[in-house]
Amino acid sequence: MAGDNTKQVADWNGSVGERWAADQERTDSFTRPYGDAAIAAANVLPGETVLDIGCGCGDTSLAVAAIVGAHGKVLGVDVSAPMLEVARKRAASLRNVTFLQADASTAALPGLFDALISRFGVMFFDDPVAAFIHLRSALKNGGRFAFVCWQTAAENPWAYLPAQAARKAIGADPTPADPHAPGPFAFGDREGLKTILRTAGFADLLIEGFEAPMYLGSSPRSAAEGVTRIGPASRIALDAGPAHLPAIVQAIEAALAPYAATDGSVFLPGRTWIATGHA
Ligand SMILES: C[S@@+](CC[C@H](N)C(=O)[O-])C[C@H]1O[C@@H](n2cnc3c(N)ncnc32)[C@H](O)[C@@H]1O
């Protein structure tokens, strides 16, 4: 058994996944530097077969497809129907990329892969050790993985500043939930992540920090509107209900205003781990 991912599957097929699908271009442009770092760490070669875990709207699958070329193959796996619909449209003219709607922690995966990659798609497993044991079994002997995941929420002001302001605006408990629960920051603790991967049977583990400025919007207002559609603050806004949205947006705008550059744009540090290892 690989845990119960029912809630995540429902979220990514509901309004969370629909918002990601609608905002694909904008979200990809913010997260591409982190994905590029993971792809570089995977050292993908022409002709290889690669599995993209939690591929979402397919941005990293397309980037890797360009590297593996006509003799290679990329399979993107994801639970989210709305996000995969976008991915399939984007890859319609390509013969070396396919997508599978399935829970990566249990799915029967076709063939064995040279490499597993992921951009922020592996932190949502209810039982991460069981999930990574399953994923390791999809690798060829000596195959490798490289993924990018967020460091703790406390290391990521792009996430915690808006979330804190949103919680304050609705009078909610300012303390975030269990930091290790499935979600964007589940692998924030480097030693905890190393233990998960080691227990799952991976070797030669390397977990290195990678930081890039996270663009939130062209003004504090547009940043506040963006983070209430996608990301940790959006979950708070969704749970609070639409009546609270104007107050939440206003509170986030005020919290982000001191960080705006002279042209109004808002960038805040985005701190990740790039994890690599071998089967
Ligand atoms: C933060 S999004 C990242 C999407 C994409 N990799 C990107 O960078 O744009 C997380 C992705 O993981 C997917 N996901 C969550 N749990 C999953 C699971 N058990 N199996 C496969 N995909 C999963 C979600 O549907 C979502 O597309």
Side-chain angles (χ1 to χ4, degrees):
M1 272 301 288
D4 179 3
N5 295 323
T6 319
K7 173 152 183 356
Q8 291 296 332
V9 174
D11 281 358
W12 290 104
N13 278 288
S15 57
V16 175
E18 278 158 16
R19 287 177 183 192
W20 272 76
D23 268 17
Q24 171 257 315
E25 277 184 40
R26 182 177 158 273
T27 312
D28 282 343
S29 70
F30 302 169
T31 54
R32 223 163 252 152
Y34 309 104
D36 286 349
I39 292 170
N43 268 319
V44 176
L45 300 171
E48 287 195 317
T49 53
V50 179
L51 179 69
D52 184 0
I53 306 155
C55 64
C57 300
D59 203 51
T60 42
S61 308
L62 295 177
V64 173
I67 303 172
V68 299
H71 299 293
K73 276 200 176 80
V74 180
L75 175 66
V77 61
D78 202 287
V79 292
S80 172
M83 294 169 77
L84 285 176
E85 195 183 325
V86 176
R88 288 193 174 108
K89 273 191 197 135
R90 297 173 77 193
S93 63
L94 299 177
R95 300 174 68 100
N96 61 350
V97 196
T98 49
F99 295 101
L100 174 69
Q101 186 185 348
D103 181 340
S105 68
T106 50
L109 297 161
L112 292 175
F113 295 87
D114 293 298
L116 311 177
I117 62 135
S118 184
R119 180 178 86 187
F120 303 130
V122 287
M123 308 90 87
F124 302 91
F125 303 127
D126 182 54
D127 184 341
V129 170
F132 278 108
I133 289 173
H134 177 71
L135 289 167
R136 183 170 55 78
S137 74
L139 275 174
K140 290 178 184 169
N141 212 354
R144 63 209 187 274
F145 76 83
F147 67 75
V148 60
C149 61
W150 295 111
Q151 296 186 19
T152 61
E155 299 291 335
N156 279 290
W158 69 267
Y160 80 73
L161 280 175
Q164 232 170 31
R167 282 194 205 95
K168 212 165 149 198
I170 55 168
D173 182 349
T175 334
D178 171 11
H180 301 293
F185 305 102
F187 291 166
D189 167 22
R190 187 170 189 242
E191 285 314 304
L193 173 58
K194 207 168 203 173
T195 303
I196 288 169
L197 294 168
R198 195 186 301 119
T199 312
F202 285 106
D204 308 325
L205 293 171
L206 199 62
I207 301 178
E208 291 190 305
F210 174 80
E211 180 175 341
M214 181 78 163
Y215 176 71
L216 293 185
S218 57
S219 66
R221 181 74 186 184
S222 85
E225 286 165 355
V227 296
T228 47
R229 281 200 306 276
I230 286 189
S234 76
R235 301 277 183 141
I236 298 164
L238 206 59
D239 290 346
H244 293 276
L245 188 59
I248 290 175
V249 170
Q250 203 177 351
I252 296 176
E253 183 182 0
L256 294 180
Y259 302 94
T262 43
D263 66 355
S265 59
V266 182
F267 286 88
L268 285 168
R271 299 193 176 100
T272 67
W273 299 124
I274 304 285
T276 55
H278 285 90

